[in-house]
């Protein structure tokens, strides 16, 4: 009977329910952005678990603030999951998701926990936002659905629900660091910052550890252990200083940005992203030597920080050090093969030193990623005319 009900419900391309009669454990996995209908994130990993599974996706990067597509708004979607969990005879539920999915896992987990106190709910979020639509938040940039201010700030909800949340996030992402700052000190939220990880922290970890084993250990022992955890999550004030220093740079207020970023560095001197941002602010004031120093400090702390490599290359080229510039442009591209500015700059450098084949190779790569790019087309025309 349950199999038939699930097979009917699974005709919805944004939902997949896989019952397991031998287990009272249920995983609910929320997908992130740009996942096509009929596909779900964490599919392979969660299907390795000895549990029932519910996979959920949202259309148009909606962020789950309008409910599950084909089910209804948030209230109707909560009622739907309430009934499914009862049908599966759930005793334990783990909600999991990256980015947009992390937010969905926390939102729905907090509401379900208050409605179903007889079930043990836990949540493992990878870079989910607690406050949508603020400056630099991905929710405001990526969603193609209308905003829903009612669910924009879930801090009070998750705190009052006492849902056990583990928030794993990359310490190479300003928004993720600031989102963690916003909930720092809330007793039911355990913050884990991952050293030098970008926003896609679950993907980053999946290349370095056995993520299936780590999630299984979380299921068994309630701890998500990461050897590459950094100390960024321990300092609340640092997140605000870095975030607002960054915003001041966007407003061309370099002097005030430097004050905040220098204070942030006194708190965590070995944080690569903060060193990089301070270098950028100093460059805005044409303090090239100091800017270069901080970019080199950033690279020593995180050899894969593409933007720091780019600015070292740019400053080295300005100083006439062509070999050093070439090396760091190439390192930037190694870290981020689609770094258009680095590819263009390296192409121009090669053109300047008459390495025309290398210049063309860089420009053709730009055109493969950015069709019709004017600078790349101009380089190709000049060399092949």
């Amino acid at each position: 009977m349950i199999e038939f009900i699930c097979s009917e419900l699974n005709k919805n391309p944004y939902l997949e329910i896989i019952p397991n009669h031998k287990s009272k454990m249920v995983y609910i996995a929320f997908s992130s952005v740009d996942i096509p209908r009929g596909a779900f994130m964490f599919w392979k990993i969660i299907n390795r678990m000895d549990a029932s599974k519910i996979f959920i996706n949202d259309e148009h990067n909606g962020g789950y603030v309008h409910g599950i597509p084909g089910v209804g708004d948030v209230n109707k979607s909560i009622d739907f999951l309430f009934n499914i969990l009862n049908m599966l005879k759930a005793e334990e539920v783990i909600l999991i998701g990256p980015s947009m999915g992390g937010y969905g896992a926390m939102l729905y987990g907090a509401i379900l926990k208050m409605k179903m106190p007889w079930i043990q709910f836990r949540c493992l979020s990878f870079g989910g936002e607690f406050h949508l639509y603020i400056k630099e938040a991905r929710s405001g940039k990526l969603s193609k659905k209308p905003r829903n201010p009612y669910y924009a700030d879930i801090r009070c909800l998750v705190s009052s629900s006492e849902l056990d949340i583990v928030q794993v996030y990359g310490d190479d992402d300003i928004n993720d660091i600031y989102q963690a700052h916003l909930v720092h000190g809330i007793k039911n939220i355990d913050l884990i910052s991952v050293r030098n990880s970008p926003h896609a922290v679950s993907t980053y970890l999946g290349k370095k550890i056995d993520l299936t084993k780590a999630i299984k250990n979380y299921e068994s022992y309630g701890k998500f252990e990461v050897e590459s955890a950094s100390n960024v999550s321990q300092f609340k004030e640092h997140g605000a200083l870095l975030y607002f220093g960054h915003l001041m740079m966007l407003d061309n207020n370099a002097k005030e940005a430097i004050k905040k970023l220098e204070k942030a560095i006194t708190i965590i001197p070995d944080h690569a992203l903060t060193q990089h941002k301070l270098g950028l602010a100093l460059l805005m004031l044409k303090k090239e030597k100091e800017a270069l120093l901080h970019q080199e400090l950033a690279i020593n702390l995180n050899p894969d920080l593409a933007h720091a490599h780019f600015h070292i290359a740019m400053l080295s080229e300005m100083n006439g050090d062509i070999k050093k510039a070439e090396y760091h442009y190439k390192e930037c591209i190694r870290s981020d093969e689609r770094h258009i500015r680095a590819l263009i700059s390296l192409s121009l450098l090669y053109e300047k030193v008459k390495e025309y084949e290398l210049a063309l190779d860089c420009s053709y790569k730009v055109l493969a990623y950015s069709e019709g790019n004017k600078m790349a087309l101009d380089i190709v025309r000049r060399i092949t005319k």
Side-chain angles (χ1 to χ4, degrees):
M1 183 65 177
I2 290 178
E3 282 76 9
F4 174 75
I5 293 172
C6 291
S7 67
E8 289 297 302
L9 293 173
N10 291 346
K11 292 177 180 178
N12 179 347
Y14 297 98
L15 183 70
E16 187 77 20
I17 304 168
I18 304 173
N20 182 336
H21 299 286
K22 297 179 181 179
S23 177
K24 304 296 183 184
M25 169 69 71
V26 179
Y27 274 86
I28 306 179
F30 291 79
S31 291
S32 185
V33 299
D34 297 332
I35 304 301
R37 49 185 283 154
F40 304 93
M41 292 192 74
F42 286 118
W43 178 262
K44 289 183 179 179
I45 289 177
I46 301 302
N47 271 310
R48 297 182 185 122
M49 304 302 172
D50 183 19
S52 295
K53 299 100 179 176
I54 303 172
F55 295 93
I56 301 171
N57 194 5
D58 197 359
E59 59 187 352
H60 308 307
N61 298 340
Y64 304 102
V65 296
H66 298 288
I68 302 169
V71 175
D73 64 16
V74 171
N75 289 329
K76 290 179 180 177
S77 296
I78 290 292
D79 291 341
F80 171 81
L81 291 172
F82 180 102
N83 292 329
I84 295 297
L85 292 173
N86 277 334
M87 180 183 73
L88 296 173
K89 297 181 170 55
E91 293 180 2
E92 291 185 68
V93 177
I94 292 177
L95 304 101
I96 185 170
S99 191
M100 179 183 84
Y103 165 83
M106 293 187 288
L107 172 65
Y108 286 74
I111 299 172
L112 284 167
K113 185 180 187 301
M114 293 187 287
K115 284 182 170 285
M116 307 180 82
W118 59 90
I119 295 178
Q120 179 188 356
F121 285 91
R122 288 180 282 159
C123 179
L124 182 56
S125 164
F126 294 94
E129 293 181 352
F130 296 91
H131 198 329
L132 307 182
Y133 316 134
I134 62 174
K135 284 186 177 180
E136 299 300 279
R138 288 171 177 81
S139 49
K141 300 174 183 177
L142 300 177
S143 178
K144 301 178 183 68
K145 284 186 174 181
R147 296 182 177 187
N148 187 343
Y150 188 78
Y151 296 110
D153 186 348
I154 61 170
R155 286 176 290 176
C156 289
L157 174 64
V158 297
S159 177
S160 61
S161 73
E162 298 184 346
L163 172 68
D164 287 330
I165 296 171
V166 175
Q167 168 79 340
V168 185
Y169 65 99
D171 80 357
D172 190 34
D173 188 278
I174 284 175
N175 179 57
D176 287 355
I177 293 170
Y178 185 62
Q179 293 285 337
H181 157 84
L182 292 174
V183 295
H184 196 281
I186 296 179
K187 292 180 180 179
N188 54 304
I189 301 176
D190 183 16
L191 299 172
I192 301 174
S193 54
V194 178
R195 185 177 301 280
N196 298 337
S197 170
H199 172 64
V201 63
S202 58
T203 302
Y204 180 85
L205 287 173
K207 295 175 182 177
K208 295 182 175 294
I209 65 171
D210 185 340
L211 199 53
T212 302
K213 183 179 179 181
I215 293 171
K216 185 64 180 176
N217 285 342
Y218 170 72
E219 175 191 320
S220 300
Y221 308 113
K223 295 288 185 180
F224 189 84
E225 296 182 341
V226 181
E227 289 184 3
S228 57
S230 72
N231 63 348
V232 171
S233 61
Q234 299 172 22
F235 299 96
K236 177 180 173 67
E237 188 183 6
H238 170 268
L241 290 166
L242 174 60
Y243 176 76
F244 287 108
H246 171 72
L247 293 188
M248 287 173 178
M249 288 169 61
L250 296 180
D251 290 337
N252 290 314
N253 189 348
K255 288 184 178 180
E256 289 302 314
I258 288 169
K259 289 179 184 178
K260 292 198 176 295
L261 293 167
E262 285 181 336
K263 190 173 181 181
I265 283 175
T266 65
I267 298 171
I268 312 180
D270 63 345
H271 184 229
L273 184 60
T274 308
Q275 293 284 358
H276 166 59
K277 288 294 177 180
L278 178 55
L280 293 183
L282 289 164
L283 186 58
M284 291 172 70
L285 296 183
K286 302 189 184 304
K287 296 183 178 182
E288 288 89 355
K289 287 185 179 180
E290 293 176 64
L292 181 59
L293 171 65
H294 286 282
Q295 298 298 355
E296 289 177 336
L297 285 170
I299 288 303
N300 287 335
L301 294 165
N302 180 5
D304 296 322
L305 191 53
H307 293 312
H309 278 297
F310 175 78
H311 283 88
I312 292 172
M314 183 182 68
L315 288 165
S316 298
E317 189 174 1
M318 287 169 55
N319 293 333
D321 192 338
I322 301 301
K323 285 294 183 184
K324 185 174 180 180
E326 179 191 13
Y327 172 79
H328 284 284
Y329 282 136
K330 289 168 76 173
E331 282 295 289
C332 174
I333 295 161
R334 176 192 60 78
S335 299
D336 179 4
E337 64 181 13
R338 292 174 177 260
H339 200 292
I340 301 298
R341 291 175 67 195
L343 284 164
I344 289 290
S345 296
L346 185 56
S347 185
L348 289 168
L349 184 148
Y350 283 139
E351 183 185 17
K352 185 190 303 181
V353 297
K354 300 182 180 181
E355 293 280 359
Y356 297 123
E357 289 300 320
L358 293 174
L360 285 172
D361 182 60
C362 291
S363 286
Y364 287 141
K365 285 178 180 176
V366 170
L367 293 170
Y369 302 137
S370 176
E371 188 177 353
N373 184 285
K374 185 178 184 304
M375 292 187 73
L377 286 172
D378 286 345
I379 294 169
V380 172
R381 289 191 189 107
R382 284 197 302 270
I383 294 174
T384 60
K385 67 181 179 180

